[in-house]
Amino acid sequence: MQERSQRKGATWMAAQTLTRTLAMAAASAVTMTVLSGCKPSGDAPRPLAPVEAASANPAVSATLLKQSDEVLARYRQMIVLMDGEASLKPAERDAVRSVGMLLFHDMQESIRALGETAGRSTDPAGLAALSELLDRVEQEPSWFDADRLAFKEFLSQLSQQFSTSQSIAGLKLAKRAGEDLSVLAEIENAYEQELRDTFGRFAQRGIVPKREKWTDYVAKLKGLYARDRILKDYATILPDLQARPSVTDGPDDGATGAPGTPPAQTSQTATAPAATRGPTKAEREFFGRQLPPKTVLLTFDDGPHPRYTDEILEILKRYQAPAVFFELGRNLGSVDASGKVKPGPGSEVAKRVLAAGHPIANHSFSHGVMSKFELDKVRQEASSTEALLDAAGRDGQALFRFPYGARNDAALGAIEALKLRSMMWNVDSLDWSDPIPKSIAARVLGELGKQQRGIVLFHDIHARTVEALPLVLDQLKAEGYRFAAWKDGKIVAADTPAADAAPPDLAGANLYRDSVALVIGIDQYKAWPRLQHAVRDAKAIQETLQTQFGFRPENVTTLTDGDATRANILRALNGMARKGGDGKLKRDDRVFVFFAGHGSTRKLPSGRDVGYIIPVDAGTDDLQTDAIAMPQLQELSEALPAKHAFFVIDACYSGLGLTRGGAPGGSSNFVRDNARRLGRQMMTAGGADQQVADDGPGGHSVFTWTLLQALSGKADLNGDGLITATELAAYVAPAVSAIAHQTPAFGSLPGSEGGEFIFELASAQEQALSGDSNQLDAKASALAKQADDARNAQLQPVAQASAPTGAAPGSPAASATSVQVTLKGLDGTDTAIATSAAPAPTSARIAAQRANDRGLQLYKERRYDEAEAAFTEALKLQPKFALAANNLGFIYYKRDKPAEAARWYRKAIEMDGSRALAHLNLGDALLRAGDDTGAQAAYRAFIELSPKHARAAELKAWIEHPDSAKKPEPPR
């Protein structure tokens, strides 16, 4: 393979060709824009020419050329400057970071100027000039692929700005910018491992495919720029960038890039239990080392941003983490010479920050180097921003943060005269220079690990910060850090939610920001044999997602029968992939796709199989044209911005090789670690040349019926309240194989990082067993037990350990930390997948509830011995669990042991006498035991508590006239 330094833009062109070819296939478009820089193939439809092609405005073209050159030059300089900065000596590293921050903000100014020029260029000649700029970004022969990453933010702005254009040319420009962003994502993925090494010092893991190197790119840039020369160019301003007030000068190990970090506090201050004191005359500023141990204050600079600030607010809400937002005045609005405030769009964002409970603070008006300003300019910068903050609704004692941390005694005195307090930082995320979210997170966690406390500097103007923040917060929560807040002029430890607090009503709220699903079921095929239960399967899955797993109805798209055409399915799938652009589908979301219908496999001349799902309008003799290929689903899954995606296909096919599905669970905090990893997984009902059983219990296919059984809680192998996709497959595959002549397959799609799609179980609605409780028929109950036995027989322990709380007694999980089961991969080979059998610690109350839920499921399946064991376990964990006592009593009742049943009913009533059904059950048990007097007493209590119950009239009549003719017959 040729190196990038020789090929330059070839990888960009190849990636563009692939991306847009997939887009053409997915949309089944009649016409499509020609790939930028590529000639259309001979049989490809050519785009329609505009009625009148406009010529580019020469002045606009020249401005765009100059501004794009400035963006690229500063981007390249920053890469050269920051390359290897962690290995520099402290003094040189501080200089590099100071100049790097200035270069970054200069680049932001260049991008802002470029965006403003684009915003003014809405006439035909201006749009033509912008099209020329995109030609350059896509095709400039002197640029390297990595150069084009400099324009990611600009392309995002362009795509958003022109997506609502009233002209065809503007809409095409937006579409083109969106396609270019997709290609940039490909380039970032290709470079990610090397960028981790450059910025994050991540350890190598696994086999890295050979490709053109980032190091070659950096080497070429070093032929254009030198770090010493860049520092020399900024030599005149460097003293101002590094200026610090004399009262805070002190030892600084330089490890964090924090400007003017003061000496470590005394032990008395370091061990303060809740809050730090305000600064004395000798301590004029707040620093992270003033915080108590294992306490973190999150801060965000340079906002508000029209998109990323709101996304950060959502993340902070999910983790219940407070923060301080240091805003730039120019992003909030303007102040005229007379002092009149004119709020801008950013002011509304700032109001949302305040409404979310976070303070907004002053970061100057223009982000200038204030240590070199005249004092009047310092005061003007601070006071103008203060006026804008006040207009947004800010209250409380005001804070100020100097841009670049650059301040001297005079500047600090000027802002103190305005009754502002300076807050600095001791942990710099370097999110302004590091393009990789994972290395940003690693840097923050590493510095906090060293210092054990800190004020962390982030910026709410980057997509990468949005992606890095959950990784940081997951780890901090897991390690027991407390979050601090700015309140009443002090930094105080925020209130920590009680560990026993009630969980959300719907599951999934703690694991994902939002949940999106596409559910498809087809019975009424036109050319293929009709099915009986696919639509019912789809509707059952839809209901399960919404009622049990927190999928909001508006986020679940269901296509059945005539609506499930190839075009509609692809439109829905592509629509999910595009939702990230309009702020609906985001990094912390999950996507679930279910298909019930026909599947087929086509063997290529090479001998390789290609699998297809069959839309309602597909013919039988041209799968390539009429059906949807599995590789196409794979590509669509990789385009989704969501963290985890899971495809479940109730059809049989082959032809998509998957990676190994799961690894032994050795993590002490699965949820935390899983949140870091992308997950793309798929499970299918069977392999090639197999028939899916369409006549399972309950009017479902065998596969979907088993899937619904698994989602009811049976697949929760380790009893931790979470069902991973691997656990689901470990239950469904052997169970279906034992019931029907089909072999489900499971695996992780290429591009997955080992992340697991998770279903979070909600506790079942409280159910007290009584004579009205429903059960499966005998056949379905037998199949359910057969399915459970098949799963348990397949599980093999990986490591022996003590039984986890909540694991089913007698199962392999009861004596292993990890178990594995051998399943079929979609390539037809046997694959051993492993899953943890060691749940995260849970309270006895929650474990007891789960045991009770398991007992209810076992009762429903007429498995009374196992149900008795489950309810007994619940009572051992929670001795005052009245519901479990009632349910255990009913199991004895069903097993013709009325005296033992009555004993447990009385215990339930002792625990909670308001349980009407416990009194009813006690009456029935005593009546069957021959104690009519006791039964009447129990029935009287029941009627008092539930006078409108269906049995109340019958029981009242017998109590009033206790003769044998009116004696009730207890249910059996």
Side-chain angles (χ1 to χ4, degrees):
M1 182 179 290
Q2 291 178 303
E3 297 298 323
R4 173 168 280 105
S5 58
Q6 296 169 330
R7 290 196 345 155
K8 297 186 177 175
T11 300
W12 165 272
M13 298 300 297
Q16 277 196 323
T17 301
L18 174 62
T19 301
R20 295 181 183 176
T21 300
L22 287 172
M24 289 172 67
S28 299
V30 176
T31 60
M32 181 65 68
T33 304
V34 177
L35 305 184
S36 301
C38 300
K39 295 180 180 179
S41 61
D43 58 351
R46 293 179 178 273
L48 298 175
V51 175
E52 182 179 353
S55 299
N57 183 316
V60 174
S61 294
T63 300
L64 292 172
L65 178 66
K66 178 183 177 183
Q67 291 171 334
S68 61
D69 282 343
E70 291 173 351
V71 170
L72 183 58
R74 285 163 176 163
Y75 171 79
R76 287 173 164 180
Q77 288 175 326
M78 196 167 68
I79 288 174
V80 171
L81 189 69
M82 297 300 295
D83 183 54
E85 54 82 28
S87 63
L88 300 175
K89 294 180 179 180
E92 187 177 3
R93 182 168 62 243
D94 287 347
V96 163
R97 289 188 176 183
S98 295
V99 173
M101 289 184 75
L102 188 61
L103 263 176
F104 163 74
H105 283 283
D106 286 346
M107 188 177 76
Q108 291 297 108
E109 285 300 310
S110 298
I111 293 173
R112 180 197 294 268
L114 191 61
E116 289 175 350
T117 302
R120 294 191 299 267
S121 305
T122 56
D123 62 304
L127 292 173
L130 285 172
S131 182
E132 286 183 353
L133 175 62
L134 291 191
D135 288 341
R136 189 180 191 217
V137 171
E138 295 163 356
Q139 303 176 39
E140 172 58 48
S142 65
W143 289 5
F144 302 95
D145 285 351
D147 284 336
R148 306 174 207 282
L149 294 172
F151 297 93
K152 183 178 178 180
E153 182 66 26
F154 168 70
L155 289 170
S156 180
Q157 294 173 11
L158 200 67
S159 177
Q160 185 174 5
Q161 177 182 345
F162 286 98
S163 63
T164 57
S165 174
Q166 299 300 306
S167 72
I168 294 297
L171 292 174
K172 286 183 175 180
L173 196 71
K175 179 176 180 293
R176 187 175 169 188
E179 291 171 348
D180 289 343
L181 284 169
S182 297
V183 180
L184 288 181
E186 295 280 341
I187 293 174
E188 281 185 314
N189 289 337
Y191 280 132
E192 182 171 357
Q193 183 62 52
E194 292 154 296
L195 286 169
R196 288 180 185 177
D197 296 337
T198 298
F199 290 99
R201 281 74 67 186
F202 268 50
Q204 294 283 344
R205 186 177 63 179
I207 298 174
V208 180
K210 292 182 179 180
R211 58 177 176 263
E212 299 150 331
K213 300 295 185 182
W214 171 268
T215 52
D216 294 336
Y217 171 64
V218 175
K220 285 293 182 181
L221 294 189
K222 288 182 177 179
L224 302 173
Y225 304 97
R227 176 184 286 147
D228 291 344
R229 182 64 194 178
I230 296 170
L231 291 174
K232 187 174 181 180
D233 289 342
Y234 285 87
T236 56
I237 200 172
L238 188 57
D240 294 309
L241 287 170
Q242 296 184 302
R244 303 292 182 264
S246 57
V247 294
T248 60
D249 283 344
D252 184 1
D253 61 11
T256 67
T261 304
Q265 304 302 308
T266 65
S267 58
Q268 180 179 3
T269 302
T271 57
T276 59
R277 49 189 166 77
T280 65
K281 290 182 179 180
E283 298 171 337
R284 302 166 65 184
E285 304 180 275
F286 289 101
F287 288 90
R289 291 179 179 173
Q290 297 163 304
L291 294 174
K294 300 208 82 169
T295 304
V296 174
L297 176 62
L298 305 173
T299 66
F300 297 88
D301 285 10
D302 294 358
H305 188 276
R307 175 178 173 182
Y308 300 133
T309 300
D310 285 321
E311 293 187 7
I312 285 170
L313 290 177
E314 291 176 357
I315 295 169
L316 294 174
K317 179 181 179 181
R318 188 162 68 254
Y319 287 89
Q320 297 179 294
V324 180
F325 288 77
F326 288 92
E327 316 284 32
L328 288 175
R330 68 184 180 196
N331 292 342
L332 295 169
S334 61
V335 180
D336 64 20
S338 65
K340 184 178 180 180
V341 172
K342 183 180 180 181
S347 183
E348 294 303 313
V349 181
K351 290 178 181 178
R352 292 196 290 273
V353 174
L354 290 170
H358 308 287
I360 55 177
N362 195 326
H363 195 38
S364 83
F365 188 86
S366 65
H367 208 283
V369 182
M370 298 184 73
S371 56
K372 65 177 290 188
F373 286 173
E374 297 290 336
L375 290 185
D376 286 344
K377 176 68 171 175
V378 172
R379 285 188 284 266
Q380 180 185 1
E381 285 268 331
S383 59
S384 294
T385 304
E386 281 297 288
L388 288 160
L389 291 168
D390 288 339
R394 184 272 313 270
D395 58 8
Q397 185 172 354
L399 287 172
F400 189 90
R401 175 170 284 170
F402 284 92
Y404 314 105
R407 68 229 185 270
N408 52 26
D409 285 319
L412 182 58
I415 68 109
E416 288 176 337
L418 296 173
K419 301 190 182 304
L420 300 173
R421 288 292 188 184
S422 173
M423 177 178 285
M424 304 311 294
W425 63 91
N426 65 309
V427 176
D428 188 348
S429 68
L430 292 188
D431 60 348
W432 49 270
S433 72
D434 188 341
I436 303 300
K438 291 179 181 178
S439 67
I440 293 171
R443 178 179 300 104
V444 172
L445 295 170
E447 288 301 332
L448 287 173
K450 294 175 185 176
Q451 302 189 51
Q452 289 293 296
R453 71 199 80 201
I455 297 175
V456 184
L457 170 63
F458 289 109
H459 296 79
D460 56 330
I461 59 172
H462 306 301
R464 53 187 179 246
T465 305
V466 175
E467 295 178 38
L469 187 59
L471 307 182
V472 173
L473 300 185
D474 275 326
Q475 184 77 22
L476 294 181
K477 285 268 190 179
E479 293 182 2
Y481 276 82
R482 295 185 302 173
F483 297 113
W486 173 253
K487 188 175 181 180
D488 299 328
K490 295 181 295 184
I491 302 174
V492 298
D495 295 332
T496 302
D500 206 35
D505 292 336
L506 288 177
N510 291 327
L511 303 177
Y512 300 99
R513 188 196 68 92
D514 211 346
S515 303
V516 179
L518 173 61
V519 180
I520 304 162
I522 308 172
D523 287 333
Q524 303 301 314
Y525 277 96
K526 297 178 180 179
W528 291 71
R530 294 190 175 187
L531 301 174
Q532 298 298 316
H533 303 310
V535 170
R536 184 177 296 181
D537 289 344
K539 290 182 177 178
I541 292 294
Q542 174 190 1
E543 181 181 2
T544 298
L545 294 175
Q546 293 175 192
T547 59
Q548 295 184 34
F549 298 111
F551 284 70
R552 293 183 288 123
E554 61 269 27
N555 281 357
V556 180
T557 300
T558 303
L559 300 175
T560 58
D561 285 341
D563 290 332
T565 63
R566 183 179 190 275
N568 284 347
I569 293 172
L570 287 173
R571 186 177 297 113
L573 287 167
N574 280 294
M576 297 171 82
R578 289 193 299 268
K579 283 184 179 178
D582 61 16
K584 292 182 181 178
L585 193 63
K586 299 180 182 177
R587 171 64 172 78
D588 291 324
D589 296 343
R590 63 177 167 177
V591 171
F592 181 78
V593 177
F594 176 84
F595 175 86
H598 281 298
S600 187
T601 302
R602 183 171 70 96
K603 188 172 287 294
L604 301 178
S606 65
R608 183 170 64 87
D609 288 339
V610 175
Y612 296 86
I613 60 172
I614 310 300
V616 71
D617 55 344
T620 59
D621 55 358
D622 192 358
L623 293 177
Q624 189 173 6
T625 301
D626 295 346
I628 299 172
M630 292 301 108
Q632 195 169 357
L633 288 182
Q634 173 191 322
E635 296 291 347
L636 288 167
S637 79
E638 291 191 72
L640 293 171
K643 177 165 55 182
H644 295 149
F646 189 24
F647 292 76
V648 176
I649 311 296
D650 191 352
C652 291
Y653 70 92
S654 182
L656 179 62
L658 301 184
T659 60
R660 181 172 178 148
S667 170
S668 61
N669 193 320
F670 164 74
V671 173
R672 177 199 72 203
D673 293 341
N674 190 59
R676 298 180 175 198
R677 300 190 293 263
L678 286 178
R680 298 290 183 268
Q681 295 162 292
M682 181 179 286
M683 180 167 61
T684 69
D689 303 321
Q690 292 182 337
Q691 297 294 316
V692 169
D694 192 38
D695 55 352
H700 296 294
S701 74
V702 169
F703 177 83
T704 296
W705 180 80
T706 308
L707 176 67
L708 293 169
Q709 291 281 301
L711 290 173
S712 72
K714 286 192 170 189
D716 182 15
L717 181 65
N718 55 3
D720 63 356
L722 305 176
I723 297 177
T724 67
T726 296
E727 283 182 309
L728 203 63
Y731 180 89
V732 171
V736 171
S737 297
I739 297 171
H741 298 293
Q742 59 192 80
T743 309
F746 172 76
S748 295
L749 294 166
S752 179
E753 298 176 350
E756 284 271 10
F757 189 100
I758 296 176
F759 295 95
E760 184 179 3
L761 290 169
S763 294
Q765 290 186 344
E766 182 172 301
Q767 181 182 355
L769 293 179
S770 70
D772 296 330
S773 300
N774 294 325
Q775 292 182 284
L776 298 178
D777 61 33
K779 180 181 178 182
S781 296
L783 286 176
K785 187 176 189 310
Q786 186 179 354
D788 287 357
D789 290 345
R791 190 277 303 271
N792 290 335
Q794 286 286 325
L795 291 176
Q796 297 297 322
V798 176
Q800 297 297 320
S802 58
T805 301
S811 70
S815 59
T817 57
S818 294
V819 291
Q820 69 179 20
V821 60
T822 300
L823 307 178
K824 290 290 184 183
L826 291 191
D827 58 359
T829 61
D830 288 342
T831 302
I833 64 171
T835 184
S836 172
T842 187
S843 68
R845 178 182 62 82
I846 294 174
Q849 183 64 58
R850 290 173 183 162
N852 181 77
D853 293 346
R854 188 170 66 253
L856 291 172
Q857 180 68 33
L858 291 165
Y859 163 78
K860 186 177 180 181
E861 297 171 8
R862 304 172 186 267
R863 296 161 64 178
Y864 300 135
D865 288 348
E866 294 167 83
E868 177 188 341
F871 292 132
T872 300
E873 179 189 352
L875 285 161
K876 287 180 179 177
L877 292 165
Q878 198 81 345
K880 298 294 184 181
F881 196 173
L883 181 63
N886 172 85
N887 293 343
L888 178 58
F890 195 74
I891 294 299
Y892 284 117
Y893 180 83
K894 293 292 287 188
R895 297 169 68 188
D896 292 322
K897 297 180 179 181
E900 185 68 7
R903 185 171 76 87
W904 282 103
Y905 290 143
R906 287 191 174 104
K907 285 181 177 291
I909 292 168
E910 288 173 6
M911 297 173 194
D912 183 356
S914 67
R915 292 188 172 273
L917 286 180
H919 291 279
L920 174 63
N921 288 340
L922 176 59
D924 290 341
L926 293 173
L927 192 60
R928 284 182 62 181
D931 184 357
D932 289 6
T933 302
Q936 288 186 354
Y939 286 147
R940 286 192 187 95
F942 166 69
I943 293 168
E944 289 292 329
L945 291 170
S946 189
K948 295 183 180 181
H949 191 276
R951 293 184 60 193
E954 173 198 20
L955 298 176
K956 186 176 181 181
W958 179 59
I959 292 170
E960 293 174 351
H961 305 282
D963 55 72
S964 59
K966 294 183 178 180
K967 189 173 182 177
E969 180 64 29
R972 293 286 178 175

